[in-house]
Amino acid sequence: MSEKLNFHFDVDGTDFTSAGQASVQVKKNLRRLGIAPETIRRVSIAMYEGEINMVIHAGGGEADVNVSEDEIEIILTDHGPGIADVEQAMQEGFSTATDSIRSLGFGAGMGLPNMKRYTDDMKIETVVGSGTTITMRISLM
Amino acid sequence: MTVEALLQHGFQAVTLPEGNREIDGAYIGDLLSWVMGRATADNAWITIMSNVNVVAVASLADVSCVILCEGVVLPEDVKATAEQKNVNVLTTEMPAYQAAVRLSQLI
């Protein structure tokens, strides 16, 4: 493909049970494009973790996935509370999720670390009180 | 071995839309992000979690099946979602450790 493909999703912040719909759709789209299964797995897990974070912490947001010849770029934008201490948030096991979220199996403090683990590059731009944008890149080369 | 071949060995089918998938190992865990971070594709995922998010995680992590241990029952609506998303789900009365030991003897 020579042109960039863009997939845009609104992530509903109110419905926990439907969280993950955007990631599952991206997985399907990437399959149709013939992307390697392990790459699809990395992209869809990283995106799902981001999606879950937006639902848990930010009341939802927007997700954009750009597919070009040499990379897949995932941009997650929310207007939530922002991340006060990014370094702390990146530590495995650190979480501010509530007990009810934890009882669903989330809130293990592995979301951001997994997003970093499965992508080649991750950038977090966050302003306390106004929101967070996370940009992740996965190389296709 | 395949997922459906487990049925003769103490595991019962809840839904098997892709019963011919191969199992190459197992991961035990109930915290979803740990499973996504540590399980590998084609693992059997042994857990006691049975909410709808389990289906999404199983699908995205590309595990070959979910094994609900300790006799955990999958709610009907979650079962329907698993069928739609092509996620194999089995159940067993065995605790996680025994289920993993049995699996290890079989694969």
Side-chain angles (χ1 to χ4, degrees):
Chain A
M1 79 203 87
S2 54
E3 284 177 31
K4 248 188 190 183
L5 285 175
N6 171 265
F7 307 116
H8 177 84
F9 303 92
D10 290 317
V11 177
D12 183 354
T14 57
D15 186 2
F16 223 97
T17 54
S18 69
Q21 278 180 354
S23 316
V24 170
Q25 190 57 48
V26 164
K27 183 184 166 180
K28 277 186 201 156
N29 294 352
L30 295 180
R31 258 197 197 154
R32 278 193 211 113
L33 292 172
I35 306 285
E38 188 52 33
T39 303
I40 295 176
R41 192 173 177 275
R42 291 168 60 205
V43 170
S44 50
I45 291 176
M47 185 165 164
Y48 183 65
E49 291 283 19
E51 219 184 316
I52 291 293
N53 277 349
M54 289 199 287
V55 177
I56 294 177
H57 300 289
E62 289 174 47
D64 282 281
V65 179
N66 300 311
V67 184
S68 63
E69 211 161 322
D70 53 354
E71 71 171 19
I72 297 173
E73 179 186 52
I74 308 164
I75 303 168
L76 306 169
T77 307
D78 70 57
H79 303 288
I83 303 168
D85 186 338
V86 172
E87 202 180 321
Q88 191 177 33
M90 286 302 301
Q91 286 171 15
E92 292 192 359
F94 177 83
S95 175
T96 57
T98 61
D99 284 350
S100 67
I101 298 291
R102 287 170 202 255
S103 72
L104 294 171
F106 295 111
M110 293 290 285
L112 287 170
N114 274 351
M115 289 157 74
K116 190 171 172 64
R117 177 198 305 266
Y118 282 127
T119 57
D120 295 311
D121 182 60
M122 178 167 107
K123 191 174 72 182
I124 302 177
E125 294 158 283
T126 185
V127 178
V128 172
S130 67
T132 301
T133 297
I134 296 185
T135 307
M136 295 178 279
R137 289 193 166 82
I138 290 169
S139 170
L140 295 175
M141 304 303 273
Chain B
M1 77 180 307
T2 63
V3 175
E4 58 204 358
L6 286 179
L7 298 182
Q8 294 139 32
H9 301 279
F11 301 89
Q12 290 82 45
V14 177
T15 177
L16 286 184
E18 287 188 346
N20 59 352
R21 278 197 65 167
E22 287 286 327
I23 300 173
D24 73 351
Y27 187 82
I28 303 175
D30 304 317
L31 296 176
L32 304 180
S33 289
W34 276 92
V35 177
M36 287 189 283
R38 299 288 202 268
T40 55
D42 297 327
N43 276 179
W45 170 22
I46 302 171
T47 184
I48 54 164
M49 293 299 274
S50 61
N51 63 48
V52 71
N53 304 110
V54 167
V55 176
V57 169
S59 171
L60 298 171
D62 205 19
V63 296
S64 51
C65 64
V66 177
I67 299 177
L68 300 172
C69 55
E70 311 268 13
V72 165
V73 175
L74 195 69
E76 278 301 316
D77 58 328
V78 181
K79 181 182 165 182
T81 307
E83 269 164 19
Q84 274 169 24
K85 301 261 157 74
N86 283 340
V87 171
N88 296 317
V89 183
L90 302 170
T91 184
T92 180
E93 292 299 320
M94 289 182 273
Y97 169 71
Q98 277 180 13
V101 169
R102 181 76 60 87
L103 212 55
S104 163
Q105 291 162 344
L106 292 168
I107 62 176

